[in-house]
Amino acid sequence: MSDSDGKKTLGLRGSGSRPGNVKQSFSHGRTKNVVVETKRKRVVVPKPGAAKSGAASAKAGGDPSRRPAGISDAEMDRRLKALQAAKARETEEAERREAEEKARAEERERRRAEAEAKEREQREAEERARAKAEEEERKAREAEEAAQRAAAEAAAASQPKAEAAGRPGAGRTTPAPAAAPRKQERDREQRPARGKGRDDGRRSGKLTLNQALSGEGGRQKSLAAMKRKQERARQKAMGGPVEREKVIRDVQLPETIVVSELANRMAERVADVVKELMKMGMMVTQNQSIDADTAELIIEEFGHKVVRVSDADVEEVIADVEDSDADLLPRPPVITIMGHVDHGKTSLLDAIRDANVTGGEAGGITQHIGAYQVKSKGGDILTFLDTPGHAAFTSMRSRGAQVTDIVVLVVAADDSVMPQTIEAINHAKAAEVPMIVAINKIDKPEADPGKVRAELLQHEVIVEAMSGDVQDVEVSAVSGQGMDELLEAIALQAEILELKANPNRAAQGAVIEAQLDVGRGPVATVLVQKGTLRQGDIFVVGEQYGKVRALINDKGERVQEAGPSVPVEVLGLNGTPEAGDVLNVTETEAQAREIAEYREQVAKDKRAAAGAATTLEQLMQKAKEDQNVAELPILVKADVQGSAEAIVQAMEKIGNDEVRVRVLHSGVGAITETDIGLAEASGAPVFGFNVRANASARNSANQKGVEIRYYSVIYDLVDDVKAAASGLLSAEIREKFIGYAEIKEVFKVSNVGKVAGCLVTEGVARRSAGVRLLRDNVVIHEGTLKTLKRFKDEVAEVISGQECGMAFENYDDIRPADVIEIFEREEFTRTLD
């Protein structure tokens, strides 16, 4: 009885499978042939009779008695047709998949057969070469052994026969049995061991745990090395090395680039790039930088294309795009209230928005830029900006004029045109925005609006009352007179301007004010000019960037978005921006960070270039000038960025050629311990404007003796700094001539020296006064008197018409007819105007 018992052997061939050989690769070059059987997917093709049976069943299904309720014949036919079409598509898809699978299987078989044939040919060639080498080695070895054997036989034959006869077994020579074992030993020693001597990277024997942990005694090959080895083997199997086609790359080239980075961008070896630079006469290493022109020559030498880029290209992502007219929608106007200090700008705005801002202002003056939105009786929304009127806030008024559409110039009827009024007019003209003159305080008895209109003529502002084109309205912020007329004039001017903006784009705005809040961090008041700023937007503003965490409107309410002409407070910055910076929304945080870092580096380079002398002569001249200039160092901390900027500008204007004020540091936020440390190192006081020092800073200031001064009105701060700087001025010394004396005779007195006998011809001679010796109206000597005598007595002074004796301190060259000029010095304290 056989084992099979007539049954078929087990296997996968009957189930549509197809066997094949696959070479499996392991680490260290080991391979193994594995038998793999690929099982084809079984595809059921419906028989032609199945469609008929389906149609019959469809007809049966179309029987009204077996049809679901509410389905008509036409609907049933459509469903049956859709079902048949789906089945037909399934059949076609199955046939297509089967054909594709068959084609792929044939292609795999063909590639496998080609690879096996190439591998077999390579193996046979290696075997032939190895057999040939072994044959040549065997022949050489046999020739060498034959020569050695012949030499041994000759030596044995030349021995004396007596010695041969004296040995037992003489007359018989048996060299072959001794030579045979030696030959077998040499063959064993010289025969190469199996698997040895071939540099194929294979490992012999089993892989043990010790070998695996110790790395098999050497450095392991990298994955790239294995891939290169496989590529070389593939090229060799295909009939020799094939040169890979060179890839030409577009290399982005900045103004300067490191050699290693240049090689990386070209995908070339660093050694090749350094070699080319040495050929050009440049001895550089891979870590040194080269200029763009040299790098361009290297790139062209390697056959790549140069794409010149600049560091400023990072800002191209926020390039301003012109909006089409179809995308523009009406927006509220931005109105800036400008004018001289204490002319009623904020009070007028309070009357418009029914608020009381002046009640909370220090000294009754506005020292910040305020942004508000007001809804008029007609339903129009107006955006107002309130600017300070003090002389120090010039830049803040300039920013207000740059972002505005209409300027309302407030002039007090009882005070007329003042310096800040003229400055506001100039800002409005420079910004080329229309102007409306609001003559305020018209309810006062001393009000004279005609005088105001006449003085405005001197500055080329011609109001409508004097046949001009500038609207003027007489208003009173206290009584509310003329408020409706002012709003109507603003609405009329806004309608003429036809203000429009595109709200459906990335937001762009201007920073009106910025501050460092203790609880909320850096906060910026932004006036959106284009687009819509939404919560979650990533933006860059000046040298800072951030993500909008919250938007707060002028009423203190949180909003989700802000459209054009809407002022909002933005939270989420990484630092306090400068007032006047432009806010732009970017797509990613990486772009915003890159732009902010570039701007910060540019600003740093600009400050370094401005503070450094360009030549050695300029440096020496600056050092020489600084020796004669006394400096008053100060530190300034303010509540908002605009106030800090205004204070710094006011400090720069204080001083003259002898004294100047140097602001060591200015910033926003509370006075910290770091500020106290800087003030102590520089011997400077700390000025806090609407801010206070924290507890640690106060304790540190008390210990180190640093003076901290607090201010809430900018006038007081500027006046105190002027007074402190005036103390550094040297006192002014003035000379006052009090008399003249003529030398009549010169006497020699022992223990005294030469003494001049003089006659006081004019004024009085005092011993405490200074004297000059004149000879022919030329000053010969200037000094002090050693003695002043009247007869034999030492006197304090001698009046005109009397004779006296005078002797100079450390000077004896006096002659008759010389004239002595007597004067006194007076000191006067100087101040900075």
Side-chain angles (χ1 to χ4, degrees):
M1 185 176 179
S2 63
D3 295 336
S4 61
D5 234 358
K7 296 179 182 179
K8 293 183 180 180
T9 57
L10 294 176
L12 298 176
R13 295 183 179 275
S15 60
S17 61
R18 182 175 61 256
N21 292 330
V22 175
K23 181 180 285 187
Q24 189 175 4
S25 300
F26 298 94
S27 60
H28 310 290
R30 292 186 297 136
T31 59
K32 179 181 178 182
N33 289 329
V34 181
V35 178
V36 178
E37 294 200 10
T38 305
K39 187 175 180 180
R40 292 197 296 266
K41 184 178 180 182
R42 184 179 179 185
V43 179
V44 180
V45 181
K47 297 180 180 180
K52 295 179 181 179
S53 62
S57 64
K59 290 179 181 179
D63 189 1
S65 62
R66 300 174 62 183
R67 185 186 311 156
I71 298 179
S72 62
D73 295 340
E75 179 65 23
M76 198 65 188
D77 291 340
R78 281 197 297 272
R79 292 187 179 185
L80 292 175
K81 287 180 182 179
L83 182 60
Q84 292 172 4
K87 290 182 178 179
R89 282 196 299 273
E90 273 186 18
T91 304
E92 292 175 359
E93 185 69 21
E95 292 176 354
R96 185 178 59 79
R97 284 199 299 269
E98 184 179 1
E100 290 177 355
E101 181 68 24
K102 186 176 180 181
R104 282 196 293 270
E106 291 175 355
E107 180 67 19
R108 284 196 298 270
E109 287 292 336
R110 184 182 62 79
R111 290 181 180 175
R112 188 182 298 110
E114 289 180 358
E116 290 177 354
K118 290 178 181 178
E119 187 178 356
R120 190 166 50 252
E121 290 175 2
Q122 181 181 358
R123 199 161 48 244
E124 290 174 356
E126 291 178 355
E127 290 292 338
R128 285 195 299 270
R130 191 181 302 112
K132 185 177 179 181
E134 290 177 356
E135 181 67 22
E136 291 177 355
E137 186 179 356
R138 186 181 59 79
K139 289 180 180 180
R141 194 164 52 249
E142 288 178 356
E144 183 181 356
E145 289 174 357
Q148 290 177 359
R149 199 163 41 248
E153 289 175 358
S158 63
Q159 288 181 358
K161 291 181 179 181
E163 291 182 5
R167 284 196 301 242
R172 287 184 299 162
T173 59
T174 57
R182 285 197 299 271
K183 179 182 178 184
Q184 291 175 359
E185 280 184 23
R186 284 196 299 270
D187 290 345
R188 264 198 314 270
E189 291 174 359
Q190 295 178 3
R191 186 184 303 122
R194 183 178 180 184
K196 303 288 185 180
R198 290 183 297 171
D199 188 16
D200 57 356
R202 297 184 181 181
R203 183 184 66 244
S204 63
K206 294 182 179 180
L207 177 63
T208 63
L209 183 60
N210 291 331
Q211 289 175 342
L213 293 177
S214 61
E216 297 193 62
R219 185 177 177 182
Q220 303 300 317
K221 290 186 178 180
S222 64
L223 182 61
M226 296 295 294
K227 287 183 177 180
R228 287 195 296 269
K229 183 177 179 180
Q230 293 175 0
E231 181 70 16
R232 286 195 299 269
R234 187 183 66 82
Q235 291 179 355
K236 187 176 181 181
M238 293 176 63
V242 179
E243 289 294 331
R244 186 178 297 177
E245 184 179 355
K246 186 176 181 63
V247 180
I248 299 176
R249 290 177 168 82
D250 292 336
V251 181
Q252 292 189 350
L253 183 60
E255 297 171 359
T256 59
I257 189 170
V258 181
V259 174
S260 58
E261 177 64 19
L262 176 61
N264 186 25
R265 294 187 181 186
M266 293 190 300
E268 303 285 352
R269 296 175 61 223
V270 179
D272 296 339
V273 178
V274 174
K275 190 185 297 181
E276 289 295 330
L277 287 167
M278 288 184 177
K279 288 180 182 178
M280 297 170 59
M282 296 182 64
M283 299 299 170
V284 296
T285 63
Q286 63 176 354
N287 297 323
Q288 287 181 285
S289 299
I290 57 176
D291 60 320
D293 296 333
T294 306
E296 184 175 358
L297 296 176
I298 296 297
I299 293 171
E300 292 176 351
E301 185 68 25
F302 280 93
H304 299 288
K305 295 180 181 178
V306 180
V307 179
R308 285 287 188 117
V309 296
S310 174
D311 293 338
D313 292 343
V314 296
E315 298 200 30
E316 290 183 356
V317 297
I318 57 173
D320 194 9
V321 180
E322 292 294 332
D323 298 318
S324 61
D325 295 338
D327 298 333
L328 299 179
L329 298 176
R331 65 172 177 85
V334 180
I335 303 102
T336 301
I337 309 293
M338 303 179 76
H340 192 71
V341 64
D342 202 25
H343 275 202
K345 300 183 296 299
T346 308
S347 301
L348 186 64
L349 187 57
D350 289 347
I352 294 175
R353 62 192 294 260
D354 296 331
N356 185 17
V357 178
T358 53
E361 293 290 347
I365 62 171
T366 300
Q367 301 180 112
H368 307 150
I369 281 188
Y372 317 97
Q373 273 200 328
V374 176
K375 194 170 184 179
S376 64
K377 293 182 180 180
D380 298 330
I381 297 177
L382 308 176
T383 300
F384 283 93
L385 299 181
D386 184 18
T387 61
H390 186 261
F393 295 95
T394 300
S395 58
M396 297 176 71
R397 279 191 297 278
S398 175
R399 284 196 299 274
Q402 289 170 1
V403 299
T404 190
D405 301 315
I406 302 170
V407 169
V408 175
L409 182 65
V410 179
V411 186
D414 60 341
D415 200 10
S416 73
V417 177
M418 299 298 286
Q420 272 69 59
T421 310
I422 302 170
E423 183 187 301
I425 293 172
N426 295 332
H427 284 318
K429 289 182 179 179
E432 297 181 354
V433 292
M435 188 187 310
I436 298 174
V437 177
I439 303 176
N440 195 17
K441 302 182 181 181
I442 198 67
D443 56 331
K444 287 194 172 184
E446 60 271 18
D448 187 2
K451 178 185 176 184
V452 173
R453 294 186 178 97
E455 291 187 358
L456 288 174
L457 287 174
Q458 302 176 8
H459 306 286
E460 300 178 0
V461 178
I462 306 173
V463 298
E464 289 180 345
M466 305 187 75
S467 303
D469 55 354
V470 178
Q471 299 184 73
D472 63 319
V473 184
E474 296 180 2
V475 296
S476 173
V478 177
S479 63
Q481 176 184 348
M483 301 303 298
D484 295 336
E485 289 81 358
L486 178 61
L487 292 177
E488 287 178 4
I490 293 173
L492 177 61
Q493 188 65 57
E495 187 177 350
I496 295 173
L497 293 176
E498 295 182 355
L499 303 170
K500 293 183 179 181
N502 180 15
N504 302 316
R505 56 163 289 175
Q508 177 181 331
V511 177
I512 302 299
E513 193 58 273
Q515 61 180 335
L516 183 63
D517 195 292
V518 177
R520 301 184 297 172
V523 180
T525 303
V526 177
L527 177 66
V528 182
Q529 296 172 308
K530 298 178 182 178
T532 302
L533 185 63
R534 297 178 175 84
Q535 186 172 343
D537 285 347
I538 298 170
F539 61 90
V540 58
V541 49
E543 301 175 24
Q544 312 297 334
Y545 69 96
K547 184 177 181 180
V548 179
R549 289 195 290 109
L551 296 174
I552 301 174
N553 62 10
D554 59 314
K555 300 178 181 64
E557 304 168 349
R558 291 190 64 165
V559 294
Q560 295 298 320
E561 60 181 26
S565 302
V566 177
V568 286
E569 284 187 341
V570 178
L571 280 70
L573 293 100
N574 70 325
T576 308
E578 297 289 335
D581 288 341
V582 178
L583 181 143
N584 294 97
V585 173
T586 60
E587 294 181 359
T588 62
E589 186 176 354
Q591 291 179 349
R593 185 188 301 110
E594 191 176 7
I595 294 170
E597 290 175 354
Y598 164 71
R599 290 177 175 175
E600 185 179 4
Q601 185 62 38
V602 170
K604 190 183 297 182
D605 295 342
K606 189 179 296 183
R607 287 192 294 267
T614 55
T615 62
L616 182 61
E617 289 77 7
Q618 292 179 356
L619 187 65
M620 298 299 292
Q621 181 66 24
K622 186 175 183 299
K624 187 176 180 181
E625 291 175 356
D626 290 345
Q627 288 180 352
N628 302 325
V629 177
E631 284 187 344
L632 174 63
I634 62 171
L635 271 79
V636 177
K637 295 298 286 290
D639 54 344
V640 295
Q641 190 70 38
S643 298
E645 180 185 8
I647 293 170
V648 171
Q649 290 178 354
M651 296 301 102
E652 290 175 351
K653 296 177 182 178
I654 297 175
N656 52 22
D657 295 340
E658 299 179 30
V659 175
R660 66 185 176 198
V661 178
R662 183 161 66 98
V663 180
L664 297 176
H665 172 68
S666 65
V668 294
I671 300 172
T672 62
E673 198 170 355
T674 305
D675 301 327
I676 301 301
L678 178 59
E680 184 207 11
S682 308
V686 181
F687 293 88
F689 185 76
N690 286 334
V691 295
R692 294 294 182 267
N694 54 33
S696 60
R698 287 196 300 269
N699 296 334
S700 179
N702 292 333
Q703 293 174 3
K704 298 176 180 178
V706 176
E707 182 182 9
I708 302 177
R709 293 192 179 186
Y710 300 121
Y711 297 92
S712 57
V713 180
I714 196 170
Y715 299 111
D716 300 337
L717 191 151
V718 174
D719 293 343
D720 282 3
V721 173
K722 281 184 178 179
S726 300
L728 298 177
L729 287 172
S730 58
E732 183 180 359
I733 298 176
R734 300 175 185 173
E735 291 185 356
K736 180 182 179 183
F737 298 100
I738 59 175
Y740 288 94
E742 184 180 353
I743 299 176
K744 297 295 185 179
E745 191 64 46
V746 178
F747 306 96
K748 286 185 179 181
V749 180
S750 59
N751 298 328
V752 177
K754 290 185 177 180
V755 177
C758 306
L759 174 65
V760 179
T761 58
E762 183 179 344
V764 62
R766 292 193 181 96
R767 184 176 178 183
S768 59
V771 291
R772 291 191 184 95
L773 182 64
L774 306 181
R775 186 174 297 161
D776 298 329
N777 292 324
V778 177
V779 177
I780 302 300
H781 173 69
E782 179 177 345
T784 58
L785 290 177
K786 182 166 60 175
T787 180
L788 176 63
K789 289 189 176 183
R790 173 84 174 147
F791 299 106
K792 292 184 179 182
D793 300 327
E794 192 79 28
V795 294
E797 65 178 22
V798 178
I799 61 175
S800 175
Q802 293 182 351
E803 293 182 348
C804 61
M806 295 183 185
F808 290 91
E809 190 78 37
N810 298 326
Y811 191 77
D812 286 339
D813 186 14
I814 53 178
R815 301 176 187 176
D818 288 347
V819 176
I820 298 175
E821 182 182 74
I822 304 112
F823 62 92
E824 288 182 344
R825 292 186 175 93
E826 295 181 357
E827 292 187 356
F828 293 90
T829 303
R830 300 164 63 195
T831 59
L832 292 172
D833 296 332

